Amino acid sequence: MDYIQQAYKGLHDIWRYIIGVFIIFFAWQLIGMIPLGIALAIKIFSDASVGMPTDIPAMSKVLGSNLFLFLMLLSFAVGLLGVFLSSKFLHKQSITSLTTARKKIDWKRFWFIFVIWGLVSSGFVLFDYFMSPEDYQLNFKLQPFLILAVIAILFIPLQTSFEEYFFRGYLMQGLGVLFKNKWVPLLMTSIGFGLMHIANPEVEKLGPVIMVYYIGTGLFLGIITLMDDGLELALGFHAANNLFTALLVTADWTALQTHSILKDLSDPSSMALAEIFVPVFVVFPVLLFVLSKKYNWTNWKDKLLGQVVEPPKEDYKILD
């Protein structure tokens, strides 16, 4: 049984997925946002000089970047809980079968790509810093950085795990069962992942072209999930990408406003080509090649474009 077929180990009626999506969004966007809303309300009503913030950078400025980051990430943690509860109680599906087609979750895969991408992404930032030091400002302050590090290490993996379990896990399997193929869920989850970021301040600053990066990243993560029959690589890559970025560099126009080591002062419009197109069309294909060699991926056409067939009943058992 491949990764999408793991859905057949649980109750996989389409109405269950529809209800599950509502439960997950309710947990993430309503319950999870309550602490952030309360904190903003207290700040606004206690300080007459503070106006209602209208975007992410403004909210970060009102609350302070560390508190805002914690409260924002907390909403994703609640969303992740919503995914797990929907899977367990609505679908009677185990977290293992939501994660991988293997008998158990392979954490070696997670840590392999986490370390590799952490080194590579950090290397890109440091290379750019040494090549163009005038574009950066040293932003390091020990106490707020240590607080940031604790928040980031504990909560960013929960944020990225929510996005992976929701898009590459819950929706990928559900859409695969619905459409009986793999290419539709791959495309739909990639586009959905990109659209989830449409309210990010980067989109306003760089324009719609940034969606190439978001959708391209979603496509890359979807490909490695289907080729590897599991979420482990996607979970590790996404966690490393967001964690190392949060700790290393920030900018006034990004969604992650942090007490990072460096602050990017450059004009973002001037780096659009490098920041958007090079990862999607150069770096990600190289990573796919490396991973395919390490994990012996074959039969790409069937893995990415093939049909989803319900396995024989004796191959799986729905838990009561």
Side-chain angles (χ1 to χ4, degrees), residues 113-280:
I113 198 167
F114 180 90
V115 172
I116 292 296
W117 187 243
L119 292 172
V120 170
S121 59
S122 299
F124 285 149
V125 172
L126 295 176
F127 176 78
D128 192 49
Y129 172 71
F130 286 113
M131 292 298 294
S132 306
E134 69 278 2
D135 289 340
Y136 292 89
Q137 172 185 308
L138 188 63
N139 193 50
F140 180 76
K141 295 179 182 178
L142 181 59
Q143 183 176 346
F145 177 80
L146 291 177
I147 296 172
L148 163 66
V150 171
I151 294 170
I153 291 170
L154 291 178
F155 284 91
I156 282 181
L158 297 178
Q159 174 245 324
T160 55
S161 293
F162 163 71
E163 295 181 9
E164 292 311 310
Y165 273 105
F166 182 49
F167 285 99
R168 257 69 62 180
Y170 193 80
L171 289 181
M172 182 85 80
Q173 290 185 351
L175 291 169
V177 168
L178 174 62
F179 290 101
K180 305 297 182 185
N181 63 46
K182 300 171 184 176
W183 66 269
V184 171
L186 175 60
L187 289 180
M188 290 184 69
T189 56
S190 300
I191 293 170
F193 178 76
L195 293 177
M196 186 188 73
H197 295 82
I198 201 166
N200 283 13
E202 291 92 333
V203 178
E204 180 180 353
K205 194 72 175 181
L206 295 174
V209 69
I210 188 65
M211 298 305 294
V212 172
Y213 173 76
Y214 289 131
I215 294 174
T217 301
L219 188 62
F220 166 73
L221 292 168
I223 289 172
I224 64 176
T225 296
L226 291 178
M227 290 304 304
D228 200 51
D229 278 326
L231 282 177
E232 294 99 331
L233 292 175
L235 287 167
F237 175 92
H238 203 163
N241 186 73
N242 287 25
L243 178 59
F244 283 89
T245 298
L247 294 176
L248 274 179
V249 63
T250 190
D252 290 335
W253 46 272
T254 61
L256 282 177
Q257 301 282 307
T258 67
H259 287 285
S260 57
I261 296 173
L262 298 171
K263 186 173 184 178
D264 189 347
L265 304 176
S266 63
D267 178 9
S269 61
S270 66
M271 61 182 185
L273 287 178
E275 296 291 329
I276 296 170
F277 292 99
V278 171
V280 173

Side-chain angles (χ1 to χ4, degrees), residues 16-33:
R16 295 180 186 273
Y17 283 99
I18 294 173
I19 293 175
V21 168
F22 278 106
I23 291 172
I24 293 164
F25 265 88
F26 183 80
W28 170 35
Q29 288 293 304
L30 293 177
I31 297 176
M33 287 294 185

